[in-house]
Amino acid sequence: MKSFCFANEKIIASDQATLHPMDIGLIRGYGIFDFFRTAHYVPMFLNDYLDRFISSAEKTHLSLHLSKEQLAQIIKELIEKNNLEFGGIRMVLTGGVSENHFSPVDGSLFIFCEDLDFPSPSKYEKGIKLLSVEHIRAIADIKTTNYAFPVWHSATWKREGADDVLYHLNGQISESSRSNIFVIKDGNIATPDQHILHGITRKRVLELVQQTSIRPISLKEVLDADEVFITSTTKKILPVTQIDNYKIGTGLPGDLTKKLIENFSEIEKKQYQAV
């Protein structure tokens, strides 16, 4: 964590930030967050992330007393004070200290800066392995702080030599624990439409490939795909070349995936060069 954060309704030293131990964000796991990156001191796709954070607060009945413009100004100040040329910014809004220790009330807003490491270059060159697991994330369209299942299950997928999981239920896939997923077959790109978080990187890919089919996708269809990739803030576009013991396509990142990685890089450049 960097030296300065927003907590207690002001910018303070990060080591002075506190949370009441009875906050339902802690004792019930009830809260929301969002996370985005900076590049050359520019918060990437900030409007999209702030819109999603504000929407998550509304959907979870959490009070957010700052406007979008005020949040953006705080973030700008934190980037400057932390000299955050390249890094991550995390926003967290807790459920608050409730009389019945259950119902959400006015919570605490935290915004803090982090160092950020991307997957190693070899994972973009060779692709990664996912481990399929039967699960659907609760209220998946909201970016809640409840990651208990994947955190608990991560020991299993690491033991199996996987980098993450692929959620599926009743034969239909949804997403990875922290990423959206896309499949490519015969040059056609598709991505699931249900039980997913509407990721910001996913949104960029849909802009790049406007003919993407957004629909239910079976696990069998994924295993039979020519190419598979996942998208997220911290992974950008990352090829998947194995699911369980099944090789995807040739077992190496495909040409369309590699082209999308290049195109996404160009979108990012336009973001920070425009400032």
Side-chain angles (χ1 to χ4, degrees), residues 82-211:
N82 286 303
N83 192 30
L84 195 71
E85 183 176 8
F86 295 95
I89 298 179
R90 190 178 303 269
M91 303 182 291
V92 180
L93 181 60
T94 72
V97 181
S98 171
E99 287 187 5
N100 64 3
H101 312 306
F102 190 83
S103 302
V105 292
D106 280 354
S108 297
L109 174 66
F110 299 90
I111 306 175
F112 49 94
C113 301
E114 309 173 18
D115 293 324
L116 178 61
D117 292 322
F118 290 107
S120 65
S122 66
K123 293 186 176 181
Y124 291 92
E125 295 165 3
K126 299 178 181 179
I128 64 165
K129 174 183 176 180
L130 299 181
L131 191 67
S132 66
V133 58
E134 288 190 291
H135 181 69
I136 283 182
R137 194 162 56 85
I139 47 177
D141 63 324
I142 302 172
K143 202 167 178 67
T144 72
T145 56
N146 182 4
Y147 278 66
F149 178 81
V151 171
W152 167 77
H153 194 266
S154 63
T156 299
W157 82 57
K158 291 175 183 176
R159 188 169 60 246
E160 296 290 332
D163 285 79
D164 213 317
V165 291
L166 174 59
Y167 294 151
H168 65 95
L169 195 64
N170 299 324
Q172 304 295 311
I173 68 161
S174 53
E175 58 187 2
S176 184
S177 72
R178 293 155 293 172
S179 308
N180 295 116
I181 188 164
F182 289 77
V183 300
I184 303 175
K185 185 69 174 180
D186 299 328
N188 298 310
I189 302 180
T191 193
D193 61 340
Q194 299 179 38
H195 307 298
I196 64 166
L197 179 73
H198 293 274
I200 306 307
T201 308
R202 174 183 182 270
K203 181 179 180 180
R204 299 284 90 82
V205 172
L206 294 177
E207 292 169 351
L208 285 169
V209 188
Q210 296 183 13
Q211 66 271 30

Side-chain angles (χ1 to χ4, degrees), residues 202-271:
R202 174 183 182 270
K203 181 179 180 180
R204 299 284 90 82
V205 172
L206 294 177
E207 292 169 351
L208 285 169
V209 188
Q210 296 183 13
Q211 66 271 30
T212 298
S213 178
I214 305 172
R215 57 175 175 79
I217 298 175
S218 69
L219 178 59
K220 183 181 184 302
E221 186 177 350
V222 181
L223 299 179
D224 291 339
D226 297 327
E227 303 176 42
V228 175
F229 61 88
I230 56 176
T231 62
S232 75
T233 300
T234 56
K235 300 177 183 70
K236 301 185 182 182
I237 297 174
L238 183 60
V240 176
T241 50
Q242 184 178 345
I243 296 175
D244 299 331
N245 294 321
Y246 296 90
K247 180 176 71 174
I248 303 300
T250 64
L252 292 171
D255 291 339
L256 284 176
T257 300
K258 289 189 283 189
K259 181 62 176 177
L260 283 170
I261 290 172
E262 294 176 6
N263 292 343
F264 182 75
S265 178
E266 290 301 316
I267 290 177
E268 288 196 309
K269 286 181 183 177
K270 290 178 181 178
Q271 274 275 303

